[in-house]
């Protein structure tokens, strides 16, 4: 407990010119086709330099044969006698999102998932109530946040050049959101019903809604109510199945189970009825030709899957007996004419109705995923922060981001270097990742990214080393071991001052980008320091005195070159007691973060959870809530960004967050991924 503390390393604001700006073609929006990876460079002595060999790139996202090649942005290395390794890039790069959208993976586990009837788009909601539109399922468009009222059930369909999403909230009320196909310009509309809704299903022409009083209501994509029906006397609706434009209800009553079609022509009404069906009154799945259903049969000892023809009620195919009664057995939907996704007892499988022995394909990896939907020719699962897609052969692919949070940023001439502690990426002014660097791999272990020293240098520490570090120059991928034997604590990218903790003292050093090294040290005697927070040439240091008190020192005028600093204040504080009776670790009050625009005309300040913009005369233009941001950064172009595990572009006229992003390296991958967003700034207000 004594060593609990809040360690804050805040990214800084405006830094000096980096040693080497990116090429002009990148700044101008140009691109070049990049080749991932690289080969080891053999020095003149003939030996292979391990530092010059980047790790192999991760598996490239999948592309279809008819997909046009997309441009990549490659950050070229300076010319030299031997070519330097190039940064690893990812492809196919997703296409740019719509303007003023919020790009982010889910921040928590999903609780609702729906796929459009044509199988080309999806919508999800997490347990925190935030909804995402997945505009495509081929890796070409990233998910964007859709403002909704904490949906617990969802449905989605395309309506011309728009997407219509219908959600049910915890009170059973409906909300319709109509957006562009990429999630742009969402329009929200509540749909009033006399009774709470319990389920919603999408067809190409709109939505079929189940109410808690057994009434069925049809909602058009524009929000119009197109009638409602109730089950015939003596029956109740046991299940609903939809496929394309077909709507089918399973009705139970009078000791028999029947099926009945629904039609929306001229308003919702009942259509033809089937004869008695030899099935349990539970969930069913319609075949693509609408001539049969996958359903469940029980007897005294076992449950089984059956394929039942709707014309005569005959059993066309039968699955294997489970050997027990399974109340969770449920067909979800058909992937093609003969393959149906089935859930049972928390497991998932594909039943192949054309196999004579009722064979199934167990989906072992995805068997316990709680959310599943079927549309088009694939099953879609909600898995953590990504979507898992499976075809009829059981081939699995993962749609999502490899990076959900970036914690530290270092602005350069026309780009922004960023890291999450493991990956280093180069962002453009569009906030998207245009290059990803695989840093040289140590022979005996991996590494942690400790700090972005400037736009071209990274401080890393080996997993197996506690007392020294390497500085990697991204332009050449050369690593230089630093003669530093203290524990790294904090770095300020504006002043280039780093703080290191060792026995009985704190050491401050300044990083020099031209030489790639740390200079002289200014030292401060400190007994058992636990954390350091830097802001320019100032620092706040926290150190425990005993189990109930701690010291807080404010240090100013830190000048490592001269070996000097000034103690501004030194005071003792009492630890606060929590409601449970334990002590709460001290939380250092962060400095106000201020950054001056490149032309010197404006100053942006983040303090006490608010961002303000004022001119150099001190007149305030606006003040807005920080919405989860913890720093402000000016780009050389004069654009203002707010950072806080994600990025947001700040409108200089109003202070509003316009484009926001909390996810990078998006694609359709062969390997499992799971990168949640953790940035409050990317959640819809």
């Amino acid at each position: 407990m004594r060593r609990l503390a809040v360690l804050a390393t805040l990214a800084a604001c405006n830094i000096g010119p980096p040693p080497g700006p990116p090429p002009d073609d990148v700044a101008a929006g140009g691109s070049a086709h990049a080749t991932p990876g690289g080969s080891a460079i053999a020095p003149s002595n003939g030996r292979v330099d391990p530092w010059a060999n980047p790790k192999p790139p991760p598996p490239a996202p999948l592309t279809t044969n008819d997909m046009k090649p997309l441009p990549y942005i490659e950050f070229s290395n300076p010319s030299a006698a031997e070519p330097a390794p190039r940064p690893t890039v990812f492809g196919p790069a997703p296409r740019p999102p719509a303007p003023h959208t919020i790009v982010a993976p889910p921040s928590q586990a999903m609780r609702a998932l729906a796929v459009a009837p044509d199988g080309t788009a999806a919508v999800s909601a997490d347990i925190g109530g935030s909804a995402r539109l997945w505009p495509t399922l081929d890796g070409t468009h990233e998910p964007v946040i859709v403002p909704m009222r904490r949906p617990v059930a969802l449905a989605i369909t395309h309506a011309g050049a728009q997407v219509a999403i219908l959600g049910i909230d915890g009170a059973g009320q409906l909300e319709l959101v109509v957006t562009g196909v990429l999630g742009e310009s969402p329009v929200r509309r509540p749909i009033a019903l006399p009774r709470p809704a319990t389920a919603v299903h999408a067809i190409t022409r709109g939505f079929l809604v189940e109410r808690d009083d057994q009434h069925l209501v049809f909602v058009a994509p524009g929000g119009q109510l197109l009638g409602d029906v109730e089950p015939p006397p003596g029956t109740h609706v046991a299940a609903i199945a939809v496929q394309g434009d077909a709507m089918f209800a399973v009705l139970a009553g009078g000791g028999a189970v029947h099926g009945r079609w629904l039609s929306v022509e001229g308003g919702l009404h009942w259509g033809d009825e089937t004869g008695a069906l030899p099935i349990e009154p539970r969930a069913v799945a319609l075949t693509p030709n609408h001539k049969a259903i996958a359903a469940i049969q029980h007897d005294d000892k076992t449950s089984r899957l059956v394929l039942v023809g709707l014309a005569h009620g005959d059993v066309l195919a039968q699955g294997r007996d489970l050997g027990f009664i399974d109340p969770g057995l449920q067909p979800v939907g058909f992937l093609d004419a003969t393959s149906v996704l089935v859930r049972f007892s928390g497991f998932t499988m594909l039943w192949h109705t054309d196999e004579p022995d009722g064979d199934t394909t167990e989906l072992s990896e995805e068997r316990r995923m709680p959310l599943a939907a079927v549309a088009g020719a694939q099953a879609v699962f909600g898995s953590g922060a990504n979507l898992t897609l499976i075809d009829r052969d059981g081939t699995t692919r993962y749609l999502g981001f490899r990076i959900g949070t970036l914690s530290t940023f270092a602005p350069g001439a026309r780009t922004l270097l960023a890291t999450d502690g493991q990956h280093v990426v180069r962002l453009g002014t569009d906030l998207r990742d245009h290059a990803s660097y695989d840093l040289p791999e140590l022979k005996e272990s991996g590494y942690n990214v400790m700090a972005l020293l400037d736009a071209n240098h990274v401080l890393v520490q080996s997993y197996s080393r506690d007392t020294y570090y390497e500085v990697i120059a991204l332009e050449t991928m050369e690593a230089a071991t630093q003669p530093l034997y203290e524990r790294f604590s904090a770095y300020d990218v504006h002043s280039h001052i780093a703080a290191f903790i060792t026995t009985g003292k704190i050491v401050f050093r300044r990083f020099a980008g031209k030489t790639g090294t740390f200079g002289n040290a200014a030292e401060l005697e400190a007994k058992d320091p636990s954390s350091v927070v830097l802001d320019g040439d100032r620092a706040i240091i926290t150190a425990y005195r005993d189990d109930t008190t701690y010291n807080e020192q404010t240090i100013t005028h830190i000048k490592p070159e001269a070996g000097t600093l000034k103690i501004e204040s030194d005071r003792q504080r009492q630890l606060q007691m929590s409601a449970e009776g334990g002590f709460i670790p001290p939380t250092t009050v962060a400095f106000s973060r201020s950054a001056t625009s490149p032309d010197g005309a404006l100053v942006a300040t983040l303090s006490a959870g608010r961002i303000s913009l004022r001119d150099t005369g001190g007149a305030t233009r606006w003040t807005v809530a920080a919405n989860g941001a913890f720093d402000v950064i000016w780009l050389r172009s004069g654009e203002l960004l707010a950072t806080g595990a994600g990025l947001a572009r700040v409108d200089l006229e109003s202070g509003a967050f316009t484009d926001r992003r909390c996810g990078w390296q998006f694609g359709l991958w062969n390997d499992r991924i799971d990168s949640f967003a953790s940035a409050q700034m990317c959640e819809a207000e």
Side-chain angles (χ1 to χ4, degrees):
M1 181 196 72
R2 286 174 51 85
R3 296 299 169 229
L4 290 174
V6 175
L7 297 176
T9 304
L10 298 177
C13 311
N14 210 16
I15 68 170
D24 292 337
D25 63 331
V26 172
S31 61
H33 291 282
T35 303
S39 58
I41 299 176
S44 56
N45 59 14
R47 290 179 298 175
V48 174
D49 180 6
W51 287 105
N53 187 17
K55 293 182 292 185
L62 302 168
T63 118
T64 56
N65 292 331
D66 59 350
M67 182 180 294
K68 295 180 179 179
L70 298 173
Y72 301 91
I73 294 182
E74 177 186 337
F75 291 83
S76 303
N77 294 289
S79 58
E82 298 177 355
R86 288 180 288 188
T88 300
V89 296
F90 296 83
R95 294 174 175 86
H100 310 309
T101 53
I102 306 172
V103 176
S107 57
Q108 301 181 61
M110 298 184 201
R111 71 181 302 175
L113 172 68
V115 181
D118 60 6
T120 61
V123 62
S124 65
D126 60 37
I127 59 176
S130 184
R132 266 87 173 157
L133 169 66
W134 303 73
T136 62
L137 301 181
D138 59 3
T140 60
H141 288 99
E142 301 155 307
V144 297
I145 290 183
V146 177
M148 295 192 77
R149 194 174 55 230
R150 301 178 66 87
V152 298
L154 290 162
I156 177 175
T157 191
H158 286 99
Q162 295 180 313
V163 171
I165 301 169
L166 192 63
I168 303 175
D169 65 16
Q173 297 302 303
L174 295 178
E175 182 180 26
L176 178 69
V177 178
V178 178
T179 80
V181 292
L182 299 183
E184 70 274 26
S185 307
V187 177
R188 304 170 64 179
R189 176 179 175 182
I191 306 295
L193 295 179
R195 294 291 305 172
T198 59
V200 58
H201 313 269
I203 64 172
T204 58
R205 301 180 61 179
F207 305 96
L208 183 64
V209 178
E210 299 181 55
R211 289 191 341 210
D212 69 348
D213 59 356
Q214 285 279 299
H215 278 242
L216 303 176
V217 180
F218 195 85
V219 181
Q224 304 89 345
L225 296 179
L226 301 183
D228 71 89
V229 297
E230 59 182 324
T235 65
H236 68 275
V237 177
I240 295 290
V242 297
Q243 173 70 247
D245 257 343
M247 298 178 289
F248 183 80
V250 177
L251 301 176
V257 177
H258 295 78
R260 194 163 183 181
W261 298 99
L262 288 149
S263 175
V264 74
E265 295 293 340
L268 186 65
H269 60 273
W270 289 111
D272 295 337
E273 184 175 0
T274 71
L277 302 175
I279 63 172
E280 292 296 312
R282 291 169 49 187
V284 301
L286 269 172
T287 57
N289 63 9
H290 308 158
K291 293 183 178 181
I293 56 172
I296 310 300
Q297 278 187 348
H298 288 331
D299 57 28
D300 294 339
K301 297 181 179 180
T302 188
S303 299
R304 70 181 65 87
L305 292 163
V306 290
L307 183 69
V308 177
L310 296 179
H312 306 291
D314 50 333
V315 175
L316 305 177
Q318 181 173 304
R320 294 176 180 176
D321 290 350
L322 295 184
F324 60 94
I325 301 294
D326 186 353
L329 187 61
Q330 173 186 342
V332 178
F334 278 83
L335 277 65
D336 58 21
T338 60
S339 300
V340 59
L341 183 71
V342 179
R343 306 300 302 269
F344 70 104
S345 299
F347 290 75
T348 307
M349 64 182 180
L350 289 175
W351 175 37
H352 306 291
T353 61
D354 57 346
E355 296 290 339
D357 296 328
D359 285 349
T360 60
T361 300
E362 184 177 338
L363 308 178
S364 56
E365 285 190 81
E366 289 69 36
R367 62 188 182 183
R368 296 194 182 277
M369 293 182 186
L371 298 173
V374 173
Q378 58 190 356
V380 183
F381 296 85
S383 172
N386 65 70
L387 298 183
T388 301
L389 281 59
I390 306 176
D391 63 21
R392 75 174 306 275
D393 298 322
T395 303
T396 303
R397 301 179 179 95
Y398 305 92
L399 183 67
F401 296 91
R402 287 189 176 273
I403 300 176
T405 297
L406 291 175
S407 55
T408 308
F409 302 87
R414 293 175 290 272
T415 61
L416 196 65
L417 196 66
T419 183
D420 62 352
Q422 295 296 316
H423 309 85
V424 178
V425 296
R426 182 83 67 175
L427 311 180
T429 56
D430 57 0
L431 312 186
R432 303 169 65 205
D433 51 298
H434 291 285
S436 177
Y437 295 92
D438 274 351
L439 302 184
E441 187 172 5
L442 300 177
K443 293 181 180 179
E444 67 272 20
S445 73
Y447 55 81
N448 280 321
V449 176
M450 307 304 293
L452 301 179
L453 302 174
D454 57 26
N456 290 288
H457 292 88
V458 179
L459 180 68
V460 301
Q461 181 182 23
S462 165
Y463 293 149
S464 63
R465 299 172 181 171
D466 295 327
T467 55
Y468 63 99
Y469 308 86
E470 279 80 27
V471 170
I472 297 176
L474 296 180
E475 291 182 340
T476 62
M477 283 295 171
E478 294 179 352
T481 300
Q482 303 295 304
L484 308 174
Y485 303 98
E486 306 91 10
R487 176 168 62 89
F488 175 81
S489 180
Y491 182 76
D492 183 89
V493 74
H494 176 60
S495 63
H496 303 296
I497 293 176
F500 299 86
I501 296 177
T502 188
T503 304
K505 63 182 178 181
I506 297 175
V507 179
F508 298 95
R509 292 186 174 91
R510 195 185 307 274
F511 176 74
K514 291 183 177 180
T515 62
T517 60
F518 288 89
N520 296 331
E523 298 183 353
L524 173 71
E525 297 295 326
K527 182 180 179 181
D528 296 330
S530 57
S531 68
V532 180
V533 177
L534 285 169
D535 182 51
D537 64 351
R538 306 177 68 216
I540 288 182
I541 300 167
T542 301
Y544 283 93
R545 291 176 58 91
D546 52 45
D547 286 339
T548 62
T549 58
Y550 66 97
N551 267 24
E552 186 178 88
Q553 289 181 301
T554 301
I555 312 300
T556 60
H557 300 88
I558 302 172
K559 300 184 182 302
E561 299 84 356
T564 61
L565 50 79
K566 178 181 178 181
I567 301 177
E568 185 174 276
S569 66
D570 187 351
R571 52 185 174 177
Q572 183 173 312
R573 291 179 175 270
Q574 192 77 21
L575 283 169
Q576 295 182 350
M577 185 78 73
S578 69
E580 291 76 20
F583 288 109
I584 303 174
T587 300
T588 302
V589 178
F591 293 106
S592 297
R593 308 291 297 175
S594 296
T596 303
S597 62
D599 61 5
L602 299 171
V603 177
T605 302
L606 191 152
S607 178
R610 305 185 74 79
I611 299 176
S612 299
L613 185 69
R614 66 179 189 275
D615 58 32
T616 51
T620 300
R621 293 194 173 189
W622 46 256
T623 299
V624 298
N627 289 328
F630 55 68
D631 202 358
V632 285
I633 295 174
W634 289 95
L635 298 179
R636 301 288 175 82
S637 61
E639 292 182 283
L640 179 63
L641 302 181
T643 71
L647 281 172
R649 184 173 284 106
V650 183
D651 183 78
L652 296 182
E653 296 299 322
S654 64
F657 288 0
T658 53
D659 301 318
R660 282 180 272 179
R661 175 176 288 273
C662 294
W664 294 270
Q665 291 185 5
F666 180 80
L668 183 62
W669 307 94
N670 285 323
D671 297 327
R672 183 181 294 277
I673 53 174
D674 214 357
S675 295
F676 286 97
S678 61
Q680 175 188 341
M681 65 190 305
C682 281
E683 293 300 323
E685 291 84 9

